[in-house]
Amino acid sequence: MNLELESYVAQILKDIRERGIEAVKEYSRKFDGYDGEFLVSEKEFEEAERQIPEKDKEIIKRTIERIRFYHEKQLESDKLYIKNASLYGIIYKPIRRIGIYVPGGKPLPSTLIMAGVPAKVAGVKEIAVTTPPKNGKINPYILYVAKLLGIEEVYKLGGIQAIGAMAYGIGMKKVDKIFGPGNRFVNEAKRQVFGVVGIDSLAGPSEIAVIADETANKEYVLYDLLSQLEHGKGSKAWLLTTSKELAEYCRKNGIEVVVCESLEECAEKANEIAPEHLEIITKEPLKLVDLIENAGAIYLGEYTPVPAADYFLGVNHVLPTGGAAKFSGVLTVMDFMKRISLAYVSREEFLSERYLGIRLAEIEGMEMHRKSMEVRR
């Protein structure tokens, strides 16, 4: 099936590269049932804003404020130092232009918030958003979030064709990196265009593991586990517990349960799973943090449920899945920036130390490398 998916997506991307906008329009008609202008007009932004209740506007604004505050703390300063009258270091620059894919189906304005806010904090100058239209329209909440974030480029475009359009610059200016989750077709398209553009990750179905002891409120634990299964097919939930009573309560509600002899064993099991979300609801949750090596996010205590983090806490909900927490992490402001190495070497240091490079060039047989260093006086 994976080979069939790979071939299917490759054919569509090839067609988009070769036929351009006509292919994008054709696939939009086929998959989204849409045959109009892709770029959302100013009139549509205004109409969307009128549809949203004032109370909801305030909720969205407050949520964005919280997420912006949290992400502003992530900004890093250039790291420069002087040695032997020479300047060295790392400087940070924002990516110039990004694309954000917002899935169709259920409206997901939170997806745009979680990618758009850190992009803005990082200083990204140009942001293009693509999302599948429903009955020819984009969900008004998504358009309202875009307007609040100062994003004017929103396209009625979904699926493989949206990824191809952003990556190859079809019907829009090409982006430098693509962010946002999607179904298996979108994920495969992102995988195949990687290298032409950057991508954030290949997000899979949602996951949650909960480490809990006998002090945990069983209803809190159960509903936290069920909340992530609500995301649909393929979503996973594990309870890791030392409490047989809690284990039985959750097991009879369809939750996968692992009963452990100790909380340390629970932590080790969590590291094996490397879940997207890990809740620790124990008497002393902080004591377990040092034992956790693999998790996209760790949420401690009874009042830090995953759904709160998904929406309003301020932490980012774009996290590694499928065991990827063993080698990658949460989306941050720095994912929207590039690290650039910087050096400004003094004549004195160069002349006194160049013998190191000259000899290495000789060892590697790189004559012009050696000459480049030798020729300087």
Side-chain angles (χ1 to χ4, degrees):
M1 184 59 191
N2 284 341
L3 287 176
E4 290 177 11
L5 176 64
E6 182 179 342
S7 175
Y8 179 75
V9 171
Q11 279 185 316
I12 292 176
L13 289 175
K14 181 175 183 288
D15 193 26
I16 289 171
R17 284 198 308 273
E18 292 176 353
R19 293 199 297 125
I21 193 65
E22 291 309 312
V24 171
K25 289 179 178 179
E26 183 179 308
Y27 292 117
S28 184
R29 286 192 295 270
K30 180 178 179 180
F31 298 124
D32 293 333
Y34 182 68
D35 192 20
E37 291 294 323
F38 291 126
L39 184 64
V40 172
S41 67
E42 179 59 35
K43 183 179 178 181
E44 288 173 293
F45 275 104
E46 293 169 357
E47 181 184 334
E49 185 171 359
R50 285 195 295 270
Q51 293 178 47
I52 297 174
E54 289 302 319
K55 184 179 179 181
D56 286 355
K57 290 179 183 178
E58 290 306 311
I59 285 172
I60 291 170
K61 287 176 183 177
R62 177 66 179 136
T63 300
I64 288 173
E65 284 174 10
R66 287 182 63 96
I67 292 165
R68 181 179 287 117
F69 179 84
Y70 178 87
H71 285 80
E72 283 173 346
K73 305 299 180 187
Q74 298 173 357
L75 278 169
E76 292 195 34
S77 302
D78 295 343
K79 295 175 172 58
L80 301 171
Y81 66 92
I82 295 174
K83 179 183 178 183
N84 299 329
S86 298
L87 178 67
Y88 297 98
I90 297 288
I91 60 174
Y92 298 94
K93 298 289 183 180
I95 297 169
R96 177 175 288 275
R97 179 172 172 82
I98 67 162
I100 299 175
Y101 185 85
V102 180
K106 292 181 180 179
L108 295 173
S110 62
T111 295
L112 182 52
I113 292 172
M114 291 293 177
V117 170
K120 284 292 183 177
V121 171
V124 174
K125 290 184 172 66
E126 300 175 24
I127 300 175
V129 174
T130 61
T131 188
K134 187 174 183 179
N135 299 321
K137 294 182 179 294
I138 300 300
N139 180 270
Y141 286 89
I142 291 173
L143 292 183
Y144 183 64
V145 168
K147 184 172 183 179
L148 288 180
L149 296 179
I151 299 171
E152 298 178 352
E153 270 188 82
V154 179
Y155 295 89
K156 301 175 186 178
L157 197 54
I160 302 166
Q161 62 272 24
I163 303 302
M166 288 191 283
Y168 305 132
I170 309 296
M172 67 181 74
K173 185 178 172 184
K174 179 183 182 296
V175 305
D176 299 314
K177 188 173 182 179
I178 296 173
F179 295 81
N183 61 24
R184 61 196 183 101
F185 298 100
V186 169
N187 257 2
E188 178 59 21
K190 285 173 67 178
R191 188 187 71 80
Q192 291 191 25
V193 300
F194 177 65
V196 177
V197 294
I199 62 171
D200 54 350
S201 63
L202 298 174
S206 188
E207 305 164 348
I208 180 174
V210 176
I211 295 175
D213 61 13
E214 68 284 350
T215 68
N217 182 305
K218 62 183 182 181
E219 286 193 337
Y220 294 180
V221 172
L222 177 62
Y223 282 109
D224 289 357
L225 290 161
L226 292 175
S227 73
Q228 295 312 290
L229 294 179
E230 187 176 28
H231 283 286
K233 186 178 178 181
S235 297
K236 296 179 181 178
W238 299 270
L239 171 63
L240 314 174
T241 184
T242 54
S243 168
K244 291 181 181 179
E245 181 184 350
L246 179 59
E248 181 58 29
Y249 178 75
C250 289
R251 190 180 281 120
K252 71 182 183 183
N253 283 282
I255 300 299
E256 184 176 338
V257 177
V258 178
V259 178
C260 301
E261 292 296 321
S262 67
L263 290 175
E264 288 75 17
E265 186 184 340
C266 290
E268 187 51 43
K269 183 63 178 176
N271 285 328
E272 291 173 17
I273 295 170
E276 178 187 16
H277 310 97
L278 175 63
E279 289 186 7
I280 303 178
I281 307 178
T282 60
K283 185 177 180 180
E284 297 178 295
L286 276 169
K287 284 191 173 181
L288 291 181
V289 173
D290 284 347
L291 299 179
I292 303 301
E293 298 173 355
N294 304 321
I298 302 172
Y299 303 130
L300 306 176
E302 291 190 334
Y303 297 98
T304 321
V306 171
D310 281 346
Y311 290 125
F312 75 88
L313 294 186
V315 298
N316 205 292
H317 75 203
V318 180
L319 301 162
T321 60
K326 292 179 180 178
F327 56 82
S328 61
V330 61
L331 186 77
T332 73
V333 169
M334 304 314 293
D335 289 295
F336 298 86
M337 303 189 81
K338 302 166 295 173
R339 298 181 299 276
I340 300 175
S341 179
L342 179 72
Y344 184 6
V345 182
S346 67
R347 179 175 182 272
E348 292 76 11
E349 182 176 21
F350 175 80
L351 293 178
S352 67
E353 300 292 322
R354 67 176 171 178
Y355 74 94
L356 302 170
I358 288 171
R359 180 55 190 145
L360 284 169
E362 290 171 346
I363 290 169
E364 294 186 351
M366 304 295 276
E367 180 62 22
M368 290 303 105
H369 281 61
R370 179 184 65 79
K371 193 69 176 174
S372 169
M373 291 178 280
E374 278 188 341
V375 75
R376 284 172 163 76
R377 299 286 182 262

